Amino acid sequence: MKIVEYLRNTDKTLFSFEVLPPMKGQSIQGLFNTLDQLMEFRPKFVNVTYHREEFVYKKRPDGLLERKTIRKRPGTVGICAAILHRYGVEPVPHLICGGFTKEETENALIDLHYLGIHNILVLRGDPIPTEKVFTPEPGGHRYAVELIEQVVNMNHGIYLEEEIENAVPTDFCIGVAGYPEKHYEAPNLQCDLRYLKMKVDKGADYIVTQMFFDNRKYFEFVEKCRAMGIHVPIVPGLKPLTSKRQLTMIPRVFHVELPEDLVKEVEKCETDAQVKEVGVEWCIAQSKELMQHKVPCLHYYSMSKADSVRKVAEALF
């Protein structure tokens, strides 16, 4: 079933979450352990992130440096197939521009289509650590809107090889990211919203937001989206704080602001276990207010760890 159908045809707030693929060399069992703990809350879908390649330089016997390409968290497509097979829950693989040519993107979409996976979240993706700015793959897409266009073309039976006749169309439901506090590269929120509307106009079916810790940011974002003419469902993304170091890490990495009341409570904590309790209580309060406003779904960034998200879900679902 398409995610947008779940979101448009519900009279109560749904539950969903995002997981990371295991690091290369690790077993999928650890991920299953996380999923097993959260399945009793009947998630309608599970997002699986995609991680592009990185570059490292290794010293050769002759003393020269050789650039090696590594992918630390492979397996997104396989994990999605496993989730669908093991749990019967809709998996939503992330599809990114970085690291893919258009041909590789098409082949990945064909694989997903063959597996019966018909929901994707389309993203540009972040620069790799060795890049100051995002650099597309030669022959790939620079912007998420271009990737959306390719998916929509395939949904209409249009593939890259023009000579293919009577091609069977795919049937992908397309999600995109929204940023209540704007994307860090956008000059202002209004400009960011114009690009978001462009994605919706090109064929995006729903929006999942970046994490936020002040619900006013979400409500204002939705209001501005509607005023801009964006009328697709907008799913709020939430994350319980789990450690004191996240007070500086989250604003630096995700470019979001933490409310002063939350910061003060975390600063009182002497251990990360206490921070987790604060994070869970704050997230529960956020979630309850959002549910009162009848949001279609609450989407939790679990980082593949179930304990805090489970405690939140126990209080709500």
Side-chain angles (χ1 to χ4, degrees):
M1 186 168 173
K2 291 184 177 181
I3 302 306
V4 72
E5 294 173 355
Y6 284 124
L7 300 177
R8 290 193 183 280
N9 299 302
T10 181
D11 57 358
K12 64 179 181 178
T13 300
L14 306 175
F15 169 68
S16 67
F17 58 94
E18 176 184 291
V19 295
L20 311 175
M23 294 288 285
K24 184 181 288 185
Q26 294 182 352
S27 167
I28 197 174
Q29 188 56 50
L31 181 57
F32 284 154
N33 292 341
T34 294
L35 293 165
D36 288 346
Q37 293 183 62
L38 297 175
M39 282 298 153
E40 70 177 83
F41 306 106
R42 299 189 294 277
K44 291 301 182 185
F45 58 97
V46 176
N47 281 27
V48 183
T49 62
Y50 194 96
H51 295 253
R52 63 174 297 182
E53 80 289 342
E54 297 180 19
F55 301 113
V56 296
Y57 290 88
K58 295 190 175 182
K59 197 170 185 179
R60 300 188 327 198
D62 59 8
L64 297 176
L65 294 177
E66 182 178 6
R67 191 171 86 160
K68 295 282 189 181
T69 301
I70 60 172
R71 196 180 297 275
K72 292 183 178 179
R73 293 184 183 269
T76 296
V77 173
I79 289 167
C80 286
I83 289 172
L84 184 61
H85 174 74
R86 183 182 177 100
Y87 301 104
V89 171
E90 296 289 348
V92 182
H94 291 193
L95 197 67
I96 61 175
C97 297
F100 279 105
T101 65
K102 295 173 186 176
E103 289 75 15
E104 289 168 334
T105 294
E106 182 173 271
N107 290 336
L109 288 165
I110 289 170
D111 285 344
L112 293 170
H113 180 63
Y114 287 166
L115 288 166
I117 295 168
H118 301 300
N119 297 285
I120 55 174
L121 188 75
V122 169
L123 306 161
R124 186 200 69 176
D126 295 322
I128 59 177
T130 53
E131 294 177 341
K132 290 184 179 179
V133 296
F134 176 82
T135 303
E137 190 76 7
H141 296 299
R142 179 176 292 274
Y143 302 110
V145 69
E146 298 172 345
L147 184 49
I148 292 169
E149 288 177 333
Q150 182 173 4
V151 179
V152 170
N153 280 341
M154 290 182 66
N155 280 349
H156 290 115
I158 303 170
Y159 289 70
L160 294 175
E161 297 178 36
E162 295 180 359
E163 61 270 21
I164 296 178
E165 297 181 359
N166 301 317
V168 175
T170 55
D171 188 28
F172 289 108
C173 173
I174 304 169
V176 293
Y179 298 86
E181 298 174 60
K182 88 171 184 65
H183 190 276
Y184 71 97
E185 293 178 2
N188 54 60
L189 181 58
Q190 197 67 16
C191 179
D192 201 25
L193 288 171
R194 289 200 300 270
Y195 285 111
L196 181 58
K197 186 175 189 304
M198 189 184 303
K199 295 176 190 177
V200 173
D201 290 345
K202 289 292 184 179
D205 297 294
Y206 69 98
I207 297 164
V208 179
T209 76
Q210 173 63 283
M211 68 181 73
F212 57 89
F213 296 87
D214 182 346
N215 284 352
R216 289 177 299 176
K217 303 281 189 183
Y218 171 80
F219 296 136
E220 291 170 2
F221 176 72
V222 172
E223 185 178 338
K224 289 176 180 178
C225 283
R226 301 311 185 213
M228 180 71 73
I230 299 170
H231 298 294
V232 299
I234 302 175
V235 175
L238 302 173
K239 175 179 167 38
L241 287 183
T242 57
S243 69
K244 188 170 275 192
R245 77 180 187 91
Q246 289 178 341
L247 288 184
T248 54
M249 183 274 286
I250 284 178
R252 184 180 71 252
V253 174
F254 298 101
H255 308 276
V256 299
E257 187 175 302
L258 298 177
E260 180 62 12
D261 288 347
L262 175 59
V263 173
K264 285 180 178 178
E265 289 302 311
V266 172
E267 287 177 337
K268 293 177 187 176
C269 297
E270 296 181 359
T271 66
D272 281 346
Q274 292 173 334
V275 175
K276 280 188 176 183
E277 292 180 12
V278 170
V280 165
E281 290 304 313
W282 187 274
C283 194
I284 289 172
Q286 269 194 280
S287 300
K288 285 182 176 179
E289 183 180 27
L290 290 164
M291 292 175 80
Q292 288 169 0
H293 282 76
K294 300 187 184 303
V295 297
C297 182
L298 293 171
H299 187 71
Y300 296 95
Y301 296 105
S302 76
M303 307 302 288
S304 294
K305 296 178 181 178
D307 51 349
S308 291
V309 174
R310 179 178 174 82
K311 289 177 182 178
V312 173
E314 286 175 337
L316 301 171
F317 297 99

